[in-house]
Amino acid sequence: MSSHLELQNLFSFRILGIMFFTGTILVESVQSTDLSKYEACKPSNCGSGPNISYPFYIRDAGTDFCGFPGFLIECKQKKPVYKTSKGYFTIEDISYENQSFRLLDEEVFNDTCIAPVQNFSFDRSSLNFIPYHADLYFFHNCNTSFYLNYTTSEVACAANATRNTTTFVALVPRDEDLNCSSIACDSVISSPVQLGEEEINQTVTSFDYVKLLKDGFSLKWTGYNCAHCRKSGGQCGFENETSVCFCPDGSHPYSCNNGRLTANFTTFFFNISTSLSYSQQRRDEFYA
Protein backbone atom coordinates (compact mmCIF):
# COMPACT_ATOMS: atom_id res chain seq x y z
CA MET A 1 0.00 0.00 0.00
CA SER A 2 2.90 2.32 0.81
CA SER A 3 4.37 1.70 -2.64
CA HIS A 4 1.02 2.45 -4.25
CA LEU A 5 0.76 5.73 -2.32
CA GLU A 6 4.25 6.74 -3.39
CA LEU A 7 3.32 6.14 -7.03
CA GLN A 8 0.19 8.25 -6.62
CA ASN A 9 2.18 11.11 -5.08
CA LEU A 10 4.82 10.84 -7.82
CA PHE A 11 2.11 11.00 -10.47
CA SER A 12 0.57 14.07 -8.81
CA PHE A 13 3.88 15.89 -8.69
CA ARG A 14 4.53 15.09 -12.34
CA ILE A 15 1.12 16.46 -13.30
CA LEU A 16 1.79 19.59 -11.23
CA GLY A 17 5.18 19.99 -12.92
CA ILE A 18 3.68 19.68 -16.40
CA MET A 19 0.93 22.17 -15.54
CA PHE A 20 3.40 24.63 -14.05
CA PHE A 21 5.72 24.33 -17.07
CA THR A 22 2.79 24.84 -19.49
CA GLY A 23 1.49 27.80 -17.50
CA THR A 24 4.96 29.38 -17.43
CA ILE A 25 5.22 29.12 -21.21
CA LEU A 26 1.76 30.71 -21.59
CA VAL A 27 2.60 33.56 -19.24
CA GLU A 28 5.93 34.23 -20.97
CA SER A 29 4.18 34.17 -24.34
CA VAL A 30 1.59 36.72 -23.22
CA GLN A 31 4.27 38.90 -21.62
CA SER A 32 6.18 38.87 -24.91
CA THR A 33 3.02 39.85 -26.80
CA ASP A 34 2.27 42.62 -24.30
CA LEU A 35 5.81 43.96 -24.62
CA SER A 36 5.51 44.05 -28.43
CA LYS A 37 2.23 45.99 -28.09
CA TYR A 38 3.91 48.37 -25.67
CA GLU A 39 6.67 49.01 -28.21
CA ALA A 40 4.29 49.20 -31.18
CA CYS A 41 2.07 51.80 -29.53
CA LYS A 42 4.81 54.33 -28.84
CA PRO A 43 4.01 57.72 -30.47
CA SER A 44 4.79 57.96 -34.19
CA ASN A 45 3.95 60.32 -37.05
CA CYS A 46 3.44 60.45 -40.80
CA GLY A 47 6.73 62.21 -41.48
CA SER A 48 5.45 65.64 -40.43
CA GLY A 49 2.73 67.00 -38.20
CA PRO A 50 1.89 65.97 -34.63
CA ASN A 51 2.79 62.66 -33.03
CA ILE A 52 0.07 60.04 -33.30
CA SER A 53 -0.91 57.97 -30.26
CA TYR A 54 -4.06 56.81 -28.49
CA PRO A 55 -6.93 57.28 -29.28
CA PHE A 56 -5.55 57.68 -32.82
CA TYR A 57 -3.82 54.97 -34.83
CA ILE A 58 -2.31 54.90 -38.31
CA ARG A 59 -3.78 52.83 -41.14
CA ASP A 60 -1.72 49.90 -42.48
CA ALA A 61 0.73 50.02 -39.59
CA GLY A 62 -0.71 46.78 -38.16
CA THR A 63 -1.38 48.54 -34.88
CA ASP A 64 -5.18 48.77 -34.71
CA PHE A 65 -4.89 47.82 -31.03
CA CYS A 66 -3.09 51.15 -30.39
CA GLY A 67 -6.20 53.26 -31.01
CA PHE A 68 -9.90 53.55 -30.39
CA PRO A 69 -12.37 52.59 -33.15
CA GLY A 70 -13.27 55.64 -35.23
CA PHE A 71 -9.91 57.39 -34.77
CA LEU A 72 -8.16 56.01 -37.82
CA ILE A 73 -5.46 58.22 -39.35
CA GLU A 74 -4.19 57.99 -42.93
CA CYS A 75 -0.83 59.35 -44.00
CA LYS A 76 -1.04 61.39 -47.22
CA GLN A 77 2.01 63.24 -48.51
CA LYS A 78 3.58 62.75 -45.07
CA LYS A 79 0.67 64.49 -43.34
CA PRO A 80 -1.85 62.94 -40.92
CA VAL A 81 -5.32 62.94 -42.42
CA TYR A 82 -8.63 62.24 -40.70
CA LYS A 83 -11.33 60.91 -42.99
CA THR A 84 -15.05 61.52 -42.53
CA SER A 85 -17.96 60.51 -44.72
CA LYS A 86 -17.68 63.92 -46.42
CA GLY A 87 -13.98 64.05 -47.20
CA TYR A 88 -10.44 64.35 -45.89
CA PHE A 89 -9.26 66.77 -43.22
CA THR A 90 -5.61 67.34 -42.32
CA ILE A 91 -4.80 67.16 -38.60
CA GLU A 92 -2.88 70.34 -37.84
CA ASP A 93 -2.24 69.64 -34.15
CA ILE A 94 -3.36 67.41 -31.29
CA SER A 95 -3.66 68.28 -27.60
CA TYR A 96 -3.62 65.01 -25.68
CA GLU A 97 -3.86 66.95 -22.43
CA ASN A 98 -7.11 68.68 -23.46
CA GLN A 99 -8.27 65.70 -25.57
CA SER A 100 -8.79 67.85 -28.66
CA PHE A 101 -7.42 68.14 -32.20
CA ARG A 102 -7.57 70.79 -34.94
CA LEU A 103 -8.63 69.96 -38.49
CA LEU A 104 -8.05 71.76 -41.77
CA ASP A 105 -10.28 71.17 -44.79
CA GLU A 106 -8.08 70.04 -47.69
CA GLU A 107 -10.65 71.38 -50.14
CA VAL A 108 -10.04 74.94 -48.91
CA PHE A 109 -6.35 74.77 -49.81
CA ASN A 110 -6.85 73.14 -53.19
CA ASP A 111 -9.50 75.48 -54.63
CA THR A 112 -8.84 78.88 -56.18
CA CYS A 113 -12.39 80.01 -55.38
CA ILE A 114 -13.05 79.30 -51.70
CA ALA A 115 -16.68 78.24 -51.48
CA PRO A 116 -17.04 74.70 -50.04
CA VAL A 117 -19.56 72.44 -51.75
CA GLN A 118 -19.82 69.67 -49.13
CA ASN A 119 -21.02 69.66 -45.54
CA PHE A 120 -18.87 68.46 -42.69
CA SER A 121 -20.13 65.54 -40.61
CA PHE A 122 -18.62 63.14 -38.08
CA ASP A 123 -19.49 60.47 -35.53
CA ARG A 124 -20.82 62.35 -32.49
CA SER A 125 -20.77 59.32 -30.20
CA SER A 126 -17.20 60.09 -29.13
CA LEU A 127 -16.50 63.54 -30.67
CA ASN A 128 -17.92 67.01 -30.31
CA PHE A 129 -17.03 70.60 -31.11
CA ILE A 130 -15.15 72.62 -28.54
CA PRO A 131 -16.77 75.89 -27.28
CA TYR A 132 -16.98 79.10 -29.35
CA HIS A 133 -17.80 77.43 -32.56
CA ALA A 134 -19.70 78.83 -35.50
CA ASP A 135 -20.66 77.79 -39.01
CA LEU A 136 -19.93 79.55 -42.25
CA TYR A 137 -23.01 78.95 -44.40
CA PHE A 138 -22.54 79.11 -48.16
CA PHE A 139 -25.68 79.71 -50.21
CA HIS A 140 -24.88 78.60 -53.75
CA ASN A 141 -26.51 79.98 -56.88
CA CYS A 142 -29.20 82.10 -55.25
CA ASN A 143 -31.62 84.14 -57.32
CA THR A 144 -32.55 87.78 -56.84
CA SER A 145 -35.22 86.95 -54.24
CA PHE A 146 -32.62 85.61 -51.81
CA TYR A 147 -33.06 86.92 -48.28
CA LEU A 148 -31.57 85.85 -44.97
CA ASN A 149 -32.01 87.23 -41.47
CA TYR A 150 -28.21 87.34 -41.07
CA THR A 151 -25.54 89.63 -42.45
CA THR A 152 -24.14 88.13 -45.65
CA SER A 153 -21.22 88.71 -47.99
CA GLU A 154 -21.15 87.93 -51.68
CA VAL A 155 -18.67 85.32 -52.93
CA ALA A 156 -17.86 87.04 -56.20
CA CYS A 157 -15.75 84.24 -57.70
CA ALA A 158 -18.65 81.79 -57.40
CA ALA A 159 -21.22 83.94 -59.26
CA ASN A 160 -22.93 82.44 -62.31
CA ALA A 161 -23.38 85.19 -64.90
CA THR A 162 -25.22 82.90 -67.31
CA ARG A 163 -27.93 82.07 -64.80
CA ASN A 164 -27.74 85.45 -63.09
CA THR A 165 -27.26 83.79 -59.71
CA THR A 166 -24.97 84.65 -56.83
CA THR A 167 -23.32 82.76 -53.96
CA PHE A 168 -23.43 84.28 -50.49
CA VAL A 169 -21.74 83.46 -47.18
CA ALA A 170 -23.00 84.11 -43.64
CA LEU A 171 -21.54 83.45 -40.19
CA VAL A 172 -24.03 81.70 -37.90
CA PRO A 173 -23.36 80.85 -34.22
CA ARG A 174 -23.41 77.11 -33.68
CA ASP A 175 -26.22 77.07 -31.14
CA GLU A 176 -28.61 78.80 -33.55
CA ASP A 177 -30.85 76.76 -35.83
CA LEU A 178 -30.96 78.01 -39.41
CA ASN A 179 -34.04 77.03 -41.41
CA CYS A 180 -32.95 76.74 -45.03
CA SER A 181 -36.04 75.08 -46.47
CA SER A 182 -37.48 78.24 -48.04
CA ILE A 183 -34.23 79.81 -49.25
CA ALA A 184 -34.12 80.36 -53.03
CA CYS A 185 -30.70 78.79 -53.72
CA ASP A 186 -29.46 75.61 -55.40
CA SER A 187 -27.71 74.35 -52.27
CA VAL A 188 -26.74 75.36 -48.75
CA ILE A 189 -23.41 74.15 -47.33
CA SER A 190 -22.11 74.65 -43.79
CA SER A 191 -18.43 74.61 -42.80
CA PRO A 192 -17.37 74.77 -39.13
CA VAL A 193 -14.94 77.46 -38.00
CA GLN A 194 -13.34 78.35 -34.69
CA LEU A 195 -13.88 81.75 -33.06
CA GLY A 196 -12.57 83.43 -29.95
CA GLU A 197 -14.88 83.99 -26.99
CA GLU A 198 -15.13 87.71 -27.79
CA GLU A 199 -15.90 87.03 -31.48
CA ILE A 200 -18.86 84.69 -31.13
CA ASN A 201 -21.55 87.34 -31.80
CA GLN A 202 -19.84 89.09 -34.71
CA THR A 203 -20.98 88.87 -38.32
CA VAL A 204 -19.20 87.63 -41.43
CA THR A 205 -18.28 91.18 -42.46
CA SER A 206 -16.00 91.39 -39.39
CA PHE A 207 -13.76 88.61 -40.71
CA ASP A 208 -11.82 87.39 -43.68
CA TYR A 209 -13.92 84.27 -44.13
CA VAL A 210 -11.19 82.56 -46.20
CA LYS A 211 -8.76 82.93 -43.30
CA LEU A 212 -11.36 81.51 -40.92
CA LEU A 213 -11.65 78.43 -43.12
CA LYS A 214 -7.89 78.05 -43.45
CA ASP A 215 -7.42 78.32 -39.67
CA GLY A 216 -9.57 75.20 -39.27
CA PHE A 217 -11.65 74.06 -36.32
CA SER A 218 -11.23 71.83 -33.29
CA LEU A 219 -12.98 68.71 -32.06
CA LYS A 220 -12.86 67.23 -28.58
CA TRP A 221 -13.02 63.53 -27.82
CA THR A 222 -14.60 61.96 -24.75
CA GLY A 223 -14.16 58.68 -22.93
CA TYR A 224 -11.03 56.96 -21.66
CA ASN A 225 -8.44 59.45 -20.36
CA CYS A 226 -4.92 58.21 -21.12
CA ALA A 227 -3.12 60.71 -18.85
CA HIS A 228 -2.59 58.27 -15.94
CA CYS A 229 -1.23 55.60 -18.27
CA ARG A 230 1.19 57.97 -19.99
CA LYS A 231 2.42 59.45 -16.71
CA SER A 232 3.19 55.94 -15.43
CA GLY A 233 5.30 55.20 -18.51
CA GLY A 234 2.71 53.14 -20.37
CA GLN A 235 1.13 53.29 -23.82
CA CYS A 236 -2.65 53.33 -24.12
CA GLY A 237 -4.36 50.81 -26.36
CA PHE A 238 -7.55 48.91 -27.02
CA GLU A 239 -8.17 45.17 -26.63
CA ASN A 240 -11.11 42.93 -25.75
CA GLU A 241 -13.48 45.83 -26.45
CA THR A 242 -11.99 48.06 -23.76
CA SER A 243 -9.22 50.61 -23.29
CA VAL A 244 -6.09 49.39 -21.52
CA CYS A 245 -2.58 50.53 -20.58
CA PHE A 246 0.23 48.56 -22.27
CA CYS A 247 3.31 48.41 -20.03
CA PRO A 248 6.66 46.56 -20.29
CA ASP A 249 5.36 43.92 -17.86
CA GLY A 250 1.93 43.47 -19.46
CA SER A 251 -1.51 45.04 -19.83
CA HIS A 252 -2.98 47.09 -16.99
CA PRO A 253 -6.47 48.60 -16.67
CA TYR A 254 -5.50 52.27 -16.14
CA SER A 255 -1.77 52.72 -15.50
CA CYS A 256 1.42 50.72 -15.01
CA ASN A 257 0.95 51.20 -11.25
CA ASN A 258 -2.27 49.16 -11.22
CA GLY A 259 -2.52 45.39 -11.13
CA ARG A 260 -1.97 43.45 -14.33
CA LEU A 261 -4.83 41.98 -16.32
CA THR A 262 -3.93 38.35 -15.45
CA ALA A 263 -7.27 37.00 -14.29
CA ASN A 264 -7.19 34.15 -16.82
CA PHE A 265 -3.86 32.81 -15.55
CA THR A 266 -4.90 33.24 -11.92
CA THR A 267 -7.94 31.12 -12.68
CA PHE A 268 -5.76 28.62 -14.54
CA PHE A 269 -3.45 27.98 -11.58
CA PHE A 270 -6.32 28.11 -9.09
CA ASN A 271 -8.08 25.32 -10.98
CA ILE A 272 -4.86 23.24 -10.98
CA SER A 273 -4.41 23.71 -7.25
CA THR A 274 -8.04 22.88 -6.51
CA SER A 275 -7.93 19.75 -8.66
CA LEU A 276 -4.77 18.42 -7.03
CA SER A 277 -6.04 19.22 -3.53
CA TYR A 278 -9.25 17.36 -4.25
CA SER A 279 -7.33 14.33 -5.58
CA GLN A 280 -5.09 14.31 -2.51
CA GLN A 281 -8.12 14.50 -0.22
CA ARG A 282 -9.75 11.50 -1.94
CA ARG A 283 -6.56 9.45 -1.66
CA ASP A 284 -6.21 10.30 2.02
CA GLU A 285 -9.80 9.21 2.62
CA PHE A 286 -9.22 5.97 0.71
CA TYR A 287 -6.09 4.98 2.61
CA ALA A 288 -7.32 6.20 6.04
Side-chain angles (χ1 to χ4, degrees):
M1 183 176 295
S2 174
S3 176
H4 182 74
L5 181 59
E6 289 175 357
L7 288 174
Q8 290 284 349
N9 288 336
L10 179 61
F11 177 76
S12 296
F13 280 117
R14 285 182 175 177
I15 291 295
L16 180 59
I18 293 171
M19 293 292 191
F20 182 79
F21 177 73
T22 303
T24 300
I25 292 175
L26 289 172
V27 170
E28 289 178 350
S29 174
V30 169
Q31 286 179 336
S32 176
T33 301
D34 288 339
L35 180 59
S36 66
K37 288 184 177 180
Y38 167 78
E39 294 292 338
C41 294
K42 288 183 176 180
S44 59
N45 60 46
C46 292
S48 66
N51 278 339
I52 305 300
S53 61
Y54 188 91
F56 301 98
Y57 63 100
I58 298 176
R59 178 190 289 277
D60 298 330
T63 56
D64 292 7
F65 50 81
C66 293
F68 192 82
F71 287 82
L72 172 66
I73 299 298
E74 296 186 25
C75 293
K76 290 183 175 293
Q77 298 179 342
K78 296 186 177 181
K79 294 181 179 180
V81 173
Y82 181 73
K83 183 182 179 182
T84 75
S85 59
K86 298 297 183 180
Y88 292 92
F89 295 81
T90 300
I91 297 182
E92 182 69 9
D93 56 57
I94 302 173
S95 172
Y96 292 100
E97 181 180 354
N98 297 326
Q99 295 192 190
S100 64
F101 61 110
R102 185 158 62 97
L103 297 175
L104 305 180
D105 187 352
E106 290 188 352
E107 179 185 332
V108 171
F109 292 90
N110 295 331
D111 289 349
T112 54
C113 181
I114 310 301
V117 294
Q118 62 179 7
N119 288 299
F120 174 73
S121 64
F122 61 94
D123 180 7
R124 292 179 180 267
S125 63
S126 55
L127 291 172
N128 212 334
F129 288 106
I130 68 172
Y132 311 119
H133 241 83
D135 277 314
L136 279 173
Y137 274 85
F138 290 84
F139 304 89
H140 290 277
N141 297 322
C142 304
N143 61 35
T144 55
S145 65
F146 172 78
Y147 171 78
L148 189 70
N149 195 28
Y150 287 94
T151 301
T152 62
S153 290
E154 183 177 333
V155 183
C157 64
N160 189 322
T162 304
R163 295 179 54 191
N164 193 29
T165 59
T166 306
T167 294
F168 297 91
V169 60
L171 184 66
V172 180
R174 173 146 292 277
D175 57 354
E176 296 187 18
D177 185 24
L178 183 64
N179 185 0
C180 303
S181 59
S182 60
I183 294 178
C185 305
D186 283 356
S187 63
V188 179
I189 301 298
S190 64
S191 293
V193 292
Q194 194 69 48
L195 302 178
E197 182 178 2
E198 70 285 352
E199 300 172 330
I200 196 65
N201 292 317
Q202 296 186 26
T203 68
V204 69
T205 55
S206 303
F207 301 94
D208 175 355
Y209 81 86
V210 173
K211 184 179 184 306
L212 280 180
L213 287 172
K214 288 186 175 182
D215 285 344
F217 59 94
S218 296
L219 296 177
K220 185 177 181 66
W221 69 82
T222 57
Y224 185 82
N225 190 326
C226 190
H228 295 296
C229 178
R230 289 195 180 101
K231 287 180 180 178
S232 69
Q235 311 293 342
C236 289
F238 190 81
E239 65 178 3
N240 299 325
E241 303 301 317
T242 189
S243 299
V244 297
C245 184
F246 294 129
C247 305
D249 68 336
S251 300
H252 295 244
Y254 301 107
S255 78
C256 296
N257 300 324
N258 295 118
R260 291 183 58 201
L261 298 174
T262 55
N264 289 338
F265 292 106
T266 301
T267 302
F268 175 74
F269 286 113
F270 174 78
N271 289 339
I272 293 173
S273 177
T274 302
S275 178
L276 291 175
S277 296
Y278 177 73
S279 298
Q280 183 65 47
Q281 180 182 350
R282 293 298 302 270
R283 286 195 301 272
D284 292 344
E285 291 175 353
F286 178 79
Y287 290 110

